[in-house]
Amino acid sequence: MDKKKKSDVAVLLEYAGSYKGLTFLGLGLSALAMVLGMLPYICIWLAVRDLIAAAPDWTSAAGIARYGWMAFAFAALGILVYFFALMCTHLAAFRTASNIRKTGMAHLMKTPLGFFDNNASGLLRNKLDGAASETETLLAHNLADIVGTIAMFITMLVLMFVFDWRMGAACLLAAVVSICAMAAMMGGKNAKLMAEYQAAQDVMSKAGTEYVRGIPVVKVFQQTVYSFRAFRQAIEDYSNKAEHFQGDVCKVPQSVNLTFTEGAFIFLVPAVLFLAPSALRSGNFAGFVTNFAFYAVFSAVISTALAKIMFAASGMMQASTALARINVVMSAPVLNVTDDPQTPKDNTVEFRDVSFTYDGADNPALDHVSFRAEPGQTTAFVGPSGGGKTTAASLIPRFWDVSSGAVLVGGVDVRNTDPHVLMDQIAFVFQNNRLFKASILENVRASRPEASREEVQAALTAAQCDDILAKLPDGMDTVIGTEGTYLSGGEQQRVALARAILKNAPIVVLDEATAFADPENEALIQKAFAALTKGRTVIMIAHRLSTVVGADKIIVLDSGRVAEEGTHTELLQNNGLYARMWQDYNQAVRWRISRIEEAC
Ligand code: ADP
Ligand code: MG
């Protein structure tokens, strides 16, 4: 287990890059500082020795002031060295944390965009931030303390046996007993119990978060905390485990541990009593008392050292949690980028026998789909919900890569094109297009950063956003999401369309929004669509069949398969799924109109 933890730290240190040396320098200095910090104890002992030698003529103990100054100098030097040690470790730790963030972000930049559908980017960022700050604390403080403590412990061991090995052994015995108690508490099957106890704590905090998220539901349905069985269960489980672990497992060993660390002289006193008669007989009783004084002073250090070891050991656990978090980010799949990119010849989009299954799904979302979308034409996907329309559309800009078959843009497999070239060629508007918390200008410009203000204005006008701009306090410089400037779903969709229009890409992939469409927005969105799609290769997911009547090609997707393909007229003649959908659609429209007439 220890070995694994060491390697965790080693892995984290890899992120320090050229600052790794600085970490080691800091650790070395920290060890030195600890040793310096112990020297005043020796000075005190030297003073005591002089006093005892001089007794009862105290004035002849001339060296005492000197020892006092030495003790002061060592203490001051220890503090100074520790300061520099921490400066080194902090500098290295900050750099390491920043490298972890950078490496993680760089990795996420290479993941397919679809990855963020299933893994909220905020959560990923939290993981990365958490790991970075944990590593920072670990490298800046804990490691330095651990190394310092080890240095202190070794110095202590040496000093213990320098003056009188028998008294040293007596002091050490107390330390051994407390270390054994600690080992009994942490090791063996208790390690498993401790892991379970910590896991229960995790479960409880997650259930707590769920509960807080669910508060609106709690209020609306007049529920109490007791109706949240999972949360309640988690709390009970945790409290049982905590009680068992703290009470049954830790009580005795922890009491032993504390007794012997705090009372390190417990064996020293009997040992001294035992040794005293022979010391008296040998004639060097003063020397004996001096040594006893040393160990009496020194046993106080033992408890500090042991407490530090405990503390540092728990700090080491951070290394593995930090690493686990980093691994979540770093194990995100990466989009393969070809070494030998080919240039798309034109703006056709073609699916060749494409199948795609989401990670962990049982059934394919797309099952042997083939079709061709010609340049300058509009190809529409229609079909029942869950049929695979969004999936098909997201394979074109490589949100995901196909499981088998190929998606071709301009006659080239999208996997063999430079991702930047592909992205420049395609503009997409999906239903969940997010606007950043930035000005409208910046939001629109995101698709083409070098665009001028006038170009952005033109795109906004083409996307029918003039009415939005008119009501915002600072026009297109208004920052969305602050001071009550929130846009409705339909308005957001139009700003997203402006972004796509500004991009001026030859291929447009769009998921028509009906969820947001109040009648007024709907008409404007239709106009914006027209501006965006003119003269381009358009692949459109249509939710209202009225928008696909004029499409050059309609592809009906059902359960991941192409059920039908053709123009509106052809499909009606086919009298298949599309014809039925068309009938239902018209009925719904008639129903709506008759309701409106009734109301009038
Ligand atoms: P449509 O857009 O036609 O409603 P989708 O392409 O969204 O259909 O979904 C096709 C199938 O893939 C559905 O069965 C859906 O549950 C599944 N699916 C969609 N998105 C994901 C995802 N991110 N992870 C796993 N399964 C998904
Ligand atoms: Mg969809």
Side-chain angles (χ1 to χ4, degrees), residues 40 52 112 144 150 196 216 330 353-354 438 452 495 504 510 538 570 599:
I52 292 173
I150 292 171
E196 279 173 17
M330 298 309 280
D353 202 29
V354 169
S452 71
V495 175
N504 196 16
L510 47 87
V538 179
E570 285 165 359

Side-chain angles (χ1 to χ4, degrees), residues 164 166 271-285 288:
D164 187 323
R166 292 162 305 185
V272 167
L273 292 179
F274 182 72
L275 295 172
S278 68
L280 264 177
R281 257 178 274 124
S282 73
N284 184 17
F285 191 65
F288 178 76

Side-chain angles (χ1 to χ4, degrees), residues 38-312:
M38 290 176 80
L39 293 182
Y41 288 98
I42 310 262
C43 295
I44 294 173
W45 172 74
L46 288 171
V48 171
R49 190 186 62 179
D50 275 15
L51 279 174
I52 292 173
D57 178 16
W58 308 109
T59 44
S60 71
I64 290 187
R66 192 158 54 92
Y67 292 135
W69 282 112
M70 269 166 68
F72 173 74
F74 283 132
L77 196 62
I79 290 170
L80 198 69
V81 172
Y82 191 58
F83 173 78
F84 279 109
L86 285 191
M87 203 151 86
C88 293
T89 56
H90 272 83
L91 279 176
F94 291 151
R95 178 52 65 105
T96 309
S98 118
N99 281 349
I100 286 174
R101 289 195 175 95
K102 278 187 198 152
T103 320
M105 288 318 276
H107 183 83
L108 288 179
M109 294 298 281
K110 286 187 253 161
T111 59
L113 285 173
F115 178 74
F116 297 100
D117 282 354
N118 297 352
N119 299 272
S121 49
L123 276 181
L124 289 169
R125 207 208 64 202
N126 275 350
K127 288 239 187 301
L128 211 51
D129 269 350
S133 60
E134 266 162 342
T135 310
E136 200 177 293
T137 330
L138 177 77
L139 294 188
H141 294 276
N142 297 347
L143 261 193
D145 284 344
I146 290 168
V147 171
T149 311
I150 292 171
M152 182 175 180
F153 212 74
I154 293 172
T155 322
M156 206 172 78
L157 281 182
V158 171
L159 288 179
M160 266 185 174
F161 292 98
V162 163
F163 301 103
D164 187 323
W165 69 268
R166 292 162 305 185
M167 289 191 217
C171 285
L172 198 61
L173 204 55
V176 170
V177 171
S178 43
I179 288 173
C180 287
M182 248 195 289
M185 193 163 71
M186 309 263 192
K189 70 176 195 304
N190 290 346
K192 208 177 123 236
L193 277 177
M194 187 155 95
E196 279 173 17
Y197 159 66
Q198 272 163 353
Q201 191 170 17
D202 276 355
V203 170
M204 183 177 68
S205 77
K206 276 189 193 131
T209 315
E210 285 299 307
Y211 173 68
V212 171
R213 284 212 188 112
I215 279 180
V217 183
V218 178
K219 286 196 163 173
V220 169
F221 294 104
Q222 303 273 322
Q223 302 197 346
T224 64
V225 65
Y226 292 104
S227 26
F228 279 72
R229 293 249 313 274
F231 188 31
R232 192 173 138 206
Q233 185 67 44
I235 294 176
E236 280 171 1
D237 192 41
Y238 170 74
S239 80
N240 287 339
K241 290 229 164 70
E243 229 166 85
H244 174 60
F245 183 69
Q246 307 280 8
D248 303 344
V249 178
C250 296
K251 198 160 68 189
V252 176
Q254 180 68 351
S255 312
V256 172
N257 172 31
L258 286 180
T259 311
F260 282 85
T261 38
E262 296 303 324
F265 52 84
I266 204 160
F267 293 114
L268 183 61
V269 174
V272 167
L273 292 179
F274 182 72
L275 295 172
S278 68
L280 264 177
R281 257 178 274 124
S282 73
N284 184 17
F285 191 65
F288 178 76
V289 172
T290 323
N291 285 346
F292 170 62
F294 171 77
Y295 287 103
V297 171
F298 209 74
S299 62
V301 185
I302 296 177
S303 64
T304 326
L306 287 179
K308 273 197 166 172
I309 287 180
M310 284 251 283
F311 193 68

